[in-house]
Amino acid sequence: MAKKSIFSKAKPPLAVERRVEDTRHGITRVDEFAWMRADNWQEVFRDPSVLDPEIRTHLEAENAYQAKLMRDTRALQKALFAEMKGRIKEDDSSVPMEDGPFAYGTSYVTGGQQPRYFRKPRKGGKEEIILDGDKEARKKPYFRIGGVGHSNDHKSLLWAFDDKGSEFFALRVRDLATGKDSPETVSDTGGGGTWDANDNGFFYTRVDANHRPSKIFYHALGTPESEDRLVYEEKDPGYFASVGGTRRNDWIMISVNDHETTEYRLLDARKPSSKPRLVVRRKTGVQYDLEEGGDIFFILTNADGAKDFKIMTAPVEDPIQANWKELIPHEPGRLILSVTGFANFMVRLERKDGLPRIVIRDRASGEEHTIAFDEEAYSLGLGGSYEYDTDTLRFTYSSMTTPTQVFDYDMRTRKRKLRKTQEVPSGHKIRDYVTRRLMATAPDGVQVPVSILHRRGLKLDGSAPCLLYGYGAYGMSIPASFNTNALSLVDRGFVYAIAHVRGGKDRGYQWYEDGKRDKKENTFHDFIAVAKHLVTEKFTSHDRIVAQGGSAGGMLMGAIANMAPDAFGAIIAEVPFVDVLTTMLDDTLPLTPPEWPEWGNPIKSKKDYKTIAAYSPYDNVAGHPYPPILAVAGLTDPRVTYWEPAKWVARLRARKMSDNPVLLKINMDAGHAGASGRFSRLEEVAFNYAFALKTTGKAEL
């Protein structure tokens, strides 16, 4: 446990307690801090200045308190920021992606916070800046660019931005000949749009007042937003609607989904006024994704019990389920993550034995081959493509020791060409670091993977501090990829570890199912088991482990704080989803109905209510000897609303049985993703790392 003397004796803000009772299924809960939820929260997301003065005063007092307790780390924060910034190539540029007569990419300028979007002639020539993020962000406290897409004729650019952090994106159209935006603006979108095949307009998702993406509209160029045509409306608040296109510009795809069910509709991209046609009607628990394949669709699905997914095909004229034919059968333990179709090849990204791999299939012969890699643990990603009729596949590779590499791979000759290696201007020697893959045993005997990074030669006698990261929700896997920021800890003697707990898909779809709903507590037990294993193997000691997680990973932090406070020396919870039961009982909140498949519906089900109540961090705060805790939040966050961490911190402070402080750092100008600029975000990371170093006695410069 961290020593009392580490933090100053500043008096923390003590929130007013106002008892509010809520009775469901005959069970009464009391929430003494419910008043922190602003009645006008929808308005606050759009305009933070309308926040209730009492709530604002309390949040500002929280910021003042954490600033005072962390004041002695200011020099350290600056040093960490300088280190992390020094590992970034400030004038970095992506490898341009070819499309017709041009190649498109992104770049930064030295000192710039935002990306620039450029294009240049495909066969070489002068680079043209088509969107300058720094210019657009000027004089805005928050600015984030969303989707950016050029028209099929390369004459226009459709781009989105959010200047509040609330994820209500505005869409604008830019004339690429003049570089000027048209007067028309489409507001309250999900962050992007899809051009029709004739470039006469675009499809987009509109977000309602409760931030639900439920309506698909078509906007004809040159017309006011008020005349936009409603193409599809999803009536069920438990589902999200989105829209996309294909590289051949033949189809517009409308997808409706929650976390376990999908449904598609199609319309001819050349006929934007046509009525969308249903592919296969939704069936709870059945997922399917469509990928273009010329005269067929490739269909990635878990239908008919294919838990780890299989690939089917169907004719584009009539892709109903009766016409599906199996191409790649289901193989238990081999999770197919995605499918990409090309004129002559089909590519799938899959995970087997906990590691990703890329498999190429020749569409004519059916012959397959796998792109091979040597390291014990690594991360792979498909780089996308603007073009369909190409033999070139772009992919990225990295590991915890190897900087990200971008390859172009000739699927026919099987030759790979290294196009770019991530530069670390301040220097990086792979041989100075060690990465390992361990297995920790959970209480039920399940083996939980752990990815480890530390400096070569580090004495593994239990004296090293450790930052242990975890997430474990929505089937999201945390890759063992290169993280330049983590080197600031590792170079100071830390072990950096990722716990691949249940709730992700690190070991297949079953790994996800075993960490959701009534099995959610497996996620928490796995993380605690990893911490214990790291101690047993002498990588660290319990009082030197700093646990970190964000969003649903922040819920993990809240849960392990209640379940095993003595197993951790400190906890960092970023935008933490900690008031799970209250949120899942409030169907007016943006994400609540779509989240019920993940957590359960406590409104309808007493069983779900009791399951969530048993682990919800806010509901289980008690008189424990909690370690030092840092919660980080954003005022305009529509995903994890600001009042969740604010209430959690207040209750922890009121009930804890230790002198260790609980800090809340809330960004009053940002939302779920934190600060918007690349360097502003580094300042937040530096603050978190300074907390980790301070609580483990490593805060010296």
Side-chain angles (χ1 to χ4, degrees):
M1 192 64 62
K3 296 179 181 179
K4 298 178 184 178
S5 60
I6 289 178
F7 291 93
S8 69
K9 294 294 184 180
K11 187 176 180 180
L14 295 178
V16 175
E17 297 189 16
R18 297 175 183 142
R19 184 182 178 92
V20 174
E21 293 187 357
D22 180 71
T23 301
R24 311 287 181 110
H25 309 294
I27 304 169
T28 299
R29 295 163 65 235
V30 175
D31 188 347
E32 66 276 25
F33 300 116
W35 62 268
M36 293 187 188
R37 177 188 187 274
D39 292 335
N40 63 336
W41 58 267
Q42 294 101 326
E43 296 175 63
V44 172
F45 286 169
R46 295 176 181 274
D47 182 5
S49 68
V50 302
L51 180 66
D52 182 290
E54 182 184 19
I55 299 173
R56 178 176 294 277
T57 298
H58 176 73
L59 297 180
E60 290 174 346
E62 290 283 11
N63 273 339
Y65 173 67
Q66 57 83 6
K68 189 168 185 178
L69 265 61
M70 292 293 288
R71 183 178 299 159
D72 61 344
T73 69
R74 286 178 180 174
L76 174 61
Q77 291 177 48
K78 290 180 179 179
L80 290 166
F81 173 78
E83 288 174 13
M84 291 186 285
K85 186 178 179 182
R87 297 190 192 101
I88 295 176
K89 188 177 187 299
E90 290 202 39
D91 58 348
D92 200 7
S93 179
S94 69
V95 180
M97 190 178 296
E98 296 170 338
D99 185 24
F102 295 100
Y104 292 82
T106 59
S107 64
Y108 288 88
V109 296
T110 300
Q113 290 263 29
Q114 300 286 342
R116 303 185 311 168
Y117 293 79
F118 70 83
R119 72 178 181 184
K120 60 184 181 180
R122 183 176 187 138
K123 296 182 179 179
K126 185 179 179 181
E127 185 176 287
E128 172 191 5
I129 302 300
I130 57 178
L131 179 64
D132 186 336
D134 287 317
K135 181 180 178 181
E136 302 297 337
R138 199 168 295 156
K139 296 183 179 179
K140 294 183 173 70
Y142 181 93
F143 186 81
R144 176 185 169 196
I145 294 176
V148 177
H150 57 272
S151 58
N152 306 301
D153 61 10
H154 304 275
K155 293 181 180 180
S156 302
L157 189 75
L158 180 63
W159 68 284
F161 70 92
D162 167 24
D163 58 7
K164 296 289 190 302
S166 55
E167 300 180 38
F168 287 97
F169 286 86
L171 281 172
R172 287 183 177 168
V173 178
R174 175 163 298 186
D175 185 325
L176 291 178
T178 65
K180 295 182 179 180
D181 290 336
S182 67
E184 57 199 294
T185 298
V186 177
S187 58
D188 297 348
T189 79
T194 301
W195 291 98
D196 68 38
N198 301 313
D199 300 320
N200 292 325
F202 54 86
F203 297 84
Y204 66 92
T205 307
R206 178 165 289 164
V207 180
D208 67 16
N210 284 357
H211 215 277
R212 290 183 182 136
S214 57
K215 295 180 180 180
I216 306 297
F217 283 86
Y218 176 75
H219 176 80
L221 296 183
T223 65
E225 179 183 355
S226 59
E227 295 181 7
D228 289 359
R229 177 172 54 85
L230 178 64
V231 177
Y232 174 78
E233 179 177 5
E234 176 52 47
K235 302 287 189 179
D236 189 332
Y239 286 83
F240 286 166
S242 61
V243 62
T246 58
R247 284 164 292 149
R248 297 177 75 242
N249 300 321
D250 47 3
W251 298 104
I252 299 296
M253 298 182 175
I254 297 173
S255 172
V256 177
N257 68 280
D258 63 10
H259 290 297
E260 61 181 18
T261 306
T262 52
E263 181 178 87
Y264 272 88
R265 285 170 174 79
L266 299 169
L267 59 87
D268 191 327
R270 296 161 296 185
K271 302 175 182 178
S273 61
S274 59
K275 183 179 179 181
R277 59 186 173 107
L278 179 67
V279 178
V280 175
R281 191 170 302 281
R282 73 191 71 170
K283 181 179 179 181
T284 300
V286 176
Q287 301 175 48
Y288 68 97
D289 285 316
L290 298 183
E291 168 63 16
E292 63 185 314
D295 59 345
I296 64 169
F297 286 119
F298 295 108
I299 303 169
L300 178 63
T301 182
N302 66 347
D304 306 315
K307 187 179 294 291
D308 288 321
F309 290 80
K310 60 183 177 180
I311 301 174
M312 313 289 282
T313 63
V316 295
E317 313 87 54
D318 195 12
I320 62 172
Q321 193 164 7
N323 293 334
W324 290 8
K325 293 182 179 180
E326 187 175 87
L327 180 66
I328 306 296
H330 174 241
E331 179 183 310
R334 178 195 64 187
L335 178 63
I336 304 177
L337 300 169
S338 68
V339 178
T340 306
F342 294 93
N344 299 305
F345 298 92
M346 183 198 74
V347 179
R348 68 180 187 267
L349 179 64
E350 60 186 33
R351 182 176 288 110
K352 190 172 184 179
D353 299 324
L355 290 174
R357 64 183 188 180
I358 296 171
V359 182
I360 316 293
R361 181 184 181 90
D362 186 303
R363 292 181 60 176
S365 67
E367 182 182 2
E368 293 188 351
H369 70 276
T370 301
I371 305 178
F373 303 94
D374 299 324
E375 291 190 85
E376 185 177 342
Y378 55 84
S379 173
L380 279 180
L382 295 179
S385 172
Y386 285 130
E387 297 182 321
Y388 174 78
D389 192 2
T390 177
D391 290 345
T392 300
L393 171 71
R394 179 164 294 173
F395 69 88
T396 59
Y397 173 89
S398 75
S399 73
M400 296 180 82
T401 58
T402 305
T404 301
Q405 298 173 319
V406 180
F407 290 92
D408 278 349
Y409 182 80
D410 190 312
M411 294 181 281
R412 195 170 299 281
T413 66
R414 304 188 184 185
K415 292 182 179 180
R416 70 181 77 172
K417 180 180 180 181
L418 178 62
R419 296 295 305 275
K420 179 185 176 182
T421 297
Q422 178 183 355
E423 293 185 44
V424 183
S426 60
H428 176 70
K429 296 179 180 178
I430 295 176
R431 64 179 178 273
D432 289 345
Y433 301 90
V434 175
T435 183
R436 294 183 57 187
R437 187 85 155 181
L438 309 177
M439 289 290 181
T441 304
D444 60 359
V446 169
Q447 297 295 294
V448 182
V450 191
S451 296
I452 298 284
L453 175 70
H454 63 79
R455 280 196 71 93
R456 191 174 300 280
L458 179 70
K459 187 179 291 186
L460 299 178
D461 60 359
S463 63
C466 172
L467 187 127
L468 177 59
Y469 183 86
Y471 187 74
Y474 307 117
M476 293 179 62
S477 301
I478 305 301
S481 55
F482 191 63
N483 180 351
T484 58
N485 294 338
L487 297 178
S488 285
L489 293 179
V490 173
D491 288 346
R492 286 175 169 80
F494 265 70
V495 172
Y496 181 78
I498 302 172
H500 303 281
V501 295
R502 279 174 282 189
K505 293 177 184 171
D506 303 78
R507 303 194 71 182
Y509 200 84
Q510 188 65 49
W511 199 249
Y512 168 42
E513 291 190 329
D514 285 345
K516 64 185 291 194
R517 295 189 69 120
D518 59 347
K519 297 180 180 179
K520 186 63 212 170
E521 292 198 24
N522 284 335
T523 304
F524 317 139
H525 290 302
D526 286 357
F527 193 84
I528 295 167
V530 168
K532 292 180 177 178
H533 184 71
L534 292 174
V535 172
T536 299
E537 296 299 312
K538 303 290 186 181
F539 281 96
T540 187
S541 300
H542 282 299
D543 62 351
R544 305 191 55 71
I545 298 177
V546 180
Q548 183 185 28
S551 195
M555 174 183 48
L556 169 60
M557 296 301 100
I560 58 103
N562 291 330
M563 295 168 66
D566 292 332
F568 304 94
I571 293 173
I572 301 172
E574 298 181 274
V575 289
F577 178 33
V578 284
D579 195 8
V580 187
L581 186 54
T582 302
T583 296
M584 289 298 101
L585 286 167
D586 187 351
D587 59 6
T588 69
L589 292 174
L591 295 180
T592 292
E595 296 284 281
W596 287 330
E598 181 77 14
W599 314 106
N601 184 345
I603 297 175
K604 293 184 176 180
S605 168
K606 183 176 182 178
K607 179 182 177 183
D608 288 349
Y609 182 102
K610 296 177 73 173
T611 295
I612 297 171
Y615 67 75
S616 177
Y618 183 66
D619 290 279
N620 289 279
V621 171
H624 298 310
Y626 290 98
I629 294 175
L630 168 63
V632 181
L635 179 61
T636 57
D637 187 347
R639 298 172 186 263
V640 177
T641 50
Y642 74 84
W643 57 82
E644 290 204 34
K647 289 168 52 180
W648 179 54
V649 165
R651 182 173 278 185
L652 280 167
R653 199 174 282 145
R655 298 186 182 182
K656 66 186 177 69
M657 299 294 290
S658 71
D659 293 328
N660 294 314
V662 182
L663 284 64
L664 173 62
K665 183 177 187 289
I666 182 162
N667 191 326
M668 303 298 280
D669 295 311
H672 196 69
S676 57
R678 56 174 176 161
F679 299 136
S680 297
R681 175 56 185 157
L682 288 184
E683 290 175 345
E684 294 184 343
V685 176
F687 182 90
N688 295 343
Y689 281 7
F691 178 83
L693 289 161
K694 181 179 175 70
T695 53
T696 54
K698 302 281 285 186
E700 69 278 1
L701 288 174

